[in-house]
Each structure stands twice: as structure tokens, then as C-alpha cells.
Amino acid sequence: MFIFLSSAIICLILTSMVQNIEELIFLRFVLGISDAALIPSIQILTVQNVPQTIFGRIFSYNQSAQSFGNVLGPMFAAWIATLAGYKSIFMFSAVLEILALSLWINYLKSQKNK
């Protein structure tokens, strides 16, 4: 998960600096691979760390959050692009990925201390 979160962050930062369509296509392809690896990873973590008695509820929260993001993401992207330009969308997304990575690292540290 660390590898793919890091890959997504790097791709998003580089995407904010693209100069031609070929660079954009390549970086979006690599970002798609990273995202394709992250979504099942989160579901596996859910299976491994959630008690069986509440698994269905937590899994549905996860799916609801993903759907919520699919609705709000384009709206926020349009708002950010209007305020600061299209390239800023990718930097904002990179910041969100950095936040996710820091939460993941803190989670790992807390599990190590148990």
C-alpha cells in the first residue's frame, strides 16, 4: 500500500507539471494502476481488521464513502479549477494522498506499539 500511495503522490505532482499530452497519458495510466491497487488493498485491510460481527456495516460505510467521493470529487475539482486553474487539481489531490499516507503510517506505528 505504501508503494502505491507513494506512486499516486508522485504521479499527481508530476501531472501538475505536464507539458504535452503524451506525458499526461502516461502519468494518468500509472495513476490508474496505483488506484487499481489501492482500492482492493483497503478492502483487504477491512477484512483483516474489522470484527466479523460488524463487518457488513463497516464494508458498507467504505463503499458509501467511495461513492460519496465519486460524486463530490468532480464538483470540488471544478471549484478548484475555477479558483486556481486545472493544474492545481492535481496538487490538491496529491495533498489528499499525502494525508492518506500519513494516516497509514500512523496506523502502522500504532499497530506496532500494541
Side-chain angles (χ1 to χ4, degrees):
M1 200 158 146
F2 177 81
I3 292 168
F4 291 109
L5 273 171
S6 299
S7 171
I9 292 166
I10 292 166
C11 283
L12 287 165
I13 291 170
L14 291 175
T15 301
S16 72
M17 297 181 267
V18 295
Q19 298 295 317
N20 58 55
I21 191 72
E22 291 84 13
E23 293 173 355
L24 180 63
I25 290 169
F26 174 75
L27 290 169
R28 296 299 290 175
F29 177 75
V30 175
L31 181 64
I33 292 170
S34 298
D35 286 346
L38 287 171
I39 292 171
S41 297
I42 293 168
Q43 292 172 344
I44 289 170
L45 286 173
T46 303
V47 170
Q48 291 175 343
N49 294 305
V50 173
Q52 199 68 16
T53 56
I54 61 169
F55 175 75
R57 184 175 358 142
I58 299 302
F59 191 77
S60 66
Y61 289 155
N62 179 31
Q63 295 303 307
S64 296
Q66 185 176 353
S67 295
F68 194 61
N70 287 337
V71 170
L72 287 181
M75 289 190 288
F76 279 128
W79 181 67
I80 291 168
T82 302
L83 292 175
Y86 286 107
K87 292 184 177 197
S88 62
I89 295 169
F90 301 111
M91 289 304 290
F92 182 77
S93 297
V95 168
L96 292 178
E97 295 278 353
I98 290 168
L99 176 64
L101 181 60
S102 66
L103 290 172
W104 171 245
I105 290 170
N106 286 334
Y107 170 76
L108 290 176
K109 286 180 183 178
S110 71
Q111 292 301 310
K112 187 177 180 179
N113 292 333
K114 284 186 178 181

